[in-house]
């Protein structure tokens, strides 16, 4: 029997209306839809960057509001479109999360850099000396430092060039498989959705229009809304 790690029941928030779905452990859910449809609002509900006005969200069969927020965000890590790193060294950024829980291990530093294909010499580099692609890699490594069960990705490659997109996607897929991570990702790229996702959730005007296997959604859409969206993409 497949265990669901997240469950949304009749969730309403801002534009979102009566959102219902489950995410199973190990799935890679892609949230996609037109601009302003509620994608980021939905993503931010997964780790309480935002809370519903109505409805219930369960994480690992427990009401999400019952979790201590720092503990929840340790388990459900978020990587944003822009890196938002602290203006210090790479090491300072990597150790920040685990140090809050007194869990930082010095030997983890090189391991984390290795995960995202950065040389160990980068540990002492100030983050402002890094390129955009390197900063996004550090942002990903900083999230992984907390050993999350779930990785939330809010268009993490949209600000990068094709070469960096390809490299970071490769790192992501390796990490997801290596750590058996559950992934929830917002993307505007249907090519990226196919490469990374296993499940898809198409949202339009705050409502879930189609939900299911990502390949089936993209190849044989059932609704006019999804057909029109894919035609324009």
């Amino acid at each position: 029997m497949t265990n669901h790690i997240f469950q949304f029941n009749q969730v309403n928030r801002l534009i979102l209306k009566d959102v219902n779905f489950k995410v199973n452990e190990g799935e890679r859910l892609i949230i996609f839809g037109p601009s302003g449809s509620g994608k980021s609002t939905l993503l931010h509900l997964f780790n309480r960057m935002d809370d519903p006005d109505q409805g219930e969200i369960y994480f690992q069969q427990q009401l999400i509001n019952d979790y201590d927020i720092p503990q929840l965000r340790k388990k459900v890590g978020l990587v944003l479109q822009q890196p938002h790193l602290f203006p210090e060294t790479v090491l300072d950024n990597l150790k920040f999360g685990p140090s809050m829980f007194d869990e930082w291990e010095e030997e983890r530093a090189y391991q984390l850099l290795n995960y995202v294909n950065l040389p160990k010499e980068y540990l002492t580099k100030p983050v402002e000396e890094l390129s955009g692609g390197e900063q996004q890699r550090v942002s990903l490594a900083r999230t992984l430092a907390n050993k999350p069960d779930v990785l939330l990705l809010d268009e993490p490659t949209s600000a990068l060039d094709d070469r960096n997109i390809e490299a970071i996607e490769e790192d992501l897929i390796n990490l997801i498989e290596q750590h058996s991570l559950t992934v929830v990702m917002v993307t505007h790229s249907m090519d990226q959705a196919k490469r990374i996702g296993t499940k898809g959730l198409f949202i339009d005007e705050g409502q879930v229009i189609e939900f299911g296997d990502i390949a089936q959604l993209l190849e044989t859409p059932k609704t006019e809304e999804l057909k029109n969206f894919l035609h324009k993409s």
Side-chain angles (χ1 to χ4, degrees):
M1 183 178 164
T2 309
N3 288 328
H4 53 265
I5 195 165
F6 269 102
Q7 181 171 342
F8 281 59
N9 293 341
Q10 297 293 116
V11 169
N12 289 258
R13 173 63 182 159
L14 301 174
I15 192 175
L16 300 175
K17 297 186 285 285
D18 297 331
V19 171
N20 294 284
F21 65 93
K22 294 176 183 176
V23 182
N24 293 325
E25 285 182 11
E27 281 182 338
R28 306 176 201 170
L29 175 66
I30 304 294
I31 298 173
F32 65 103
S35 295
S37 58
K39 300 184 296 293
S40 290
T41 302
L42 179 55
L43 190 73
H44 292 166
L45 294 173
F46 280 87
N47 74 343
R48 298 196 64 198
M49 294 283 284
D50 207 349
D51 284 323
D53 297 321
Q54 286 180 290
E56 295 173 330
I57 302 170
Y58 291 87
F59 172 57
Q60 294 176 331
Q61 281 77 50
Q62 186 177 328
L63 200 61
I64 202 169
N65 296 57
D66 292 345
Y67 284 87
D68 174 65
I69 288 179
Q71 286 286 353
L72 176 69
R73 291 180 185 163
K74 179 172 179 281
K75 289 171 172 281
V76 185
L78 174 64
V79 180
L80 295 165
Q81 186 175 348
Q82 300 294 336
H84 296 292
L85 298 172
F86 307 119
E88 297 169 34
T89 66
V90 170
L91 177 60
D92 290 326
N93 276 273
L94 295 183
K95 68 195 292 189
F96 174 78
S99 296
M100 283 176 62
F101 302 97
D102 199 25
E103 291 178 359
W104 177 246
E105 302 156 347
E106 291 298 334
E107 61 272 16
R108 282 274 289 161
Y110 294 136
Q111 185 184 40
L112 288 164
L113 285 186
N114 189 47
Y115 284 159
V116 295
N117 280 313
L118 288 175
K120 61 182 182 183
E121 294 78 27
Y122 273 50
L123 273 185
T124 53
K125 264 199 172 195
V127 295
E128 58 265 27
E129 292 180 14
L130 304 181
S131 69
E134 288 168 343
Q135 287 192 14
Q136 194 60 302
R137 286 165 182 271
V138 173
S139 179
L140 176 56
R142 183 177 68 179
T143 301
L144 291 168
N146 282 326
K147 301 179 181 175
D149 297 320
V150 181
L151 201 53
L152 307 177
L153 303 166
D154 195 357
E155 302 205 39
T157 61
S158 63
L160 304 177
D161 59 36
D162 289 346
R163 184 177 60 83
N164 273 306
I165 289 172
E166 191 176 322
I168 285 181
E169 273 188 17
E170 193 176 317
D171 290 341
L172 263 175
I173 290 166
N174 288 338
L175 287 163
I176 291 163
E177 290 173 353
Q178 190 176 342
H179 297 278
S180 303
L181 293 169
T182 302
V183 176
V184 182
M185 180 179 189
V186 170
T187 183
H188 65 276
S189 165
M190 294 303 93
D191 289 333
Q192 186 171 68
K194 286 178 202 169
R195 289 192 295 266
I196 293 179
T198 58
K199 270 289 191 57
L201 185 151
F202 172 63
I203 188 170
D204 193 7
E205 295 184 353
Q207 293 186 299
V208 177
I209 306 297
E210 293 200 37
F211 176 69
D213 178 83
I214 188 72
Q216 287 185 357
L217 260 63
L218 299 180
E219 288 162 22
T220 54
K222 294 187 176 75
T223 59
E224 287 305 313
E225 291 96 330
L226 182 50
K227 286 175 189 172
N228 291 336
F229 174 79
L230 294 174
H231 180 68
K232 292 174 187 171
S233 296

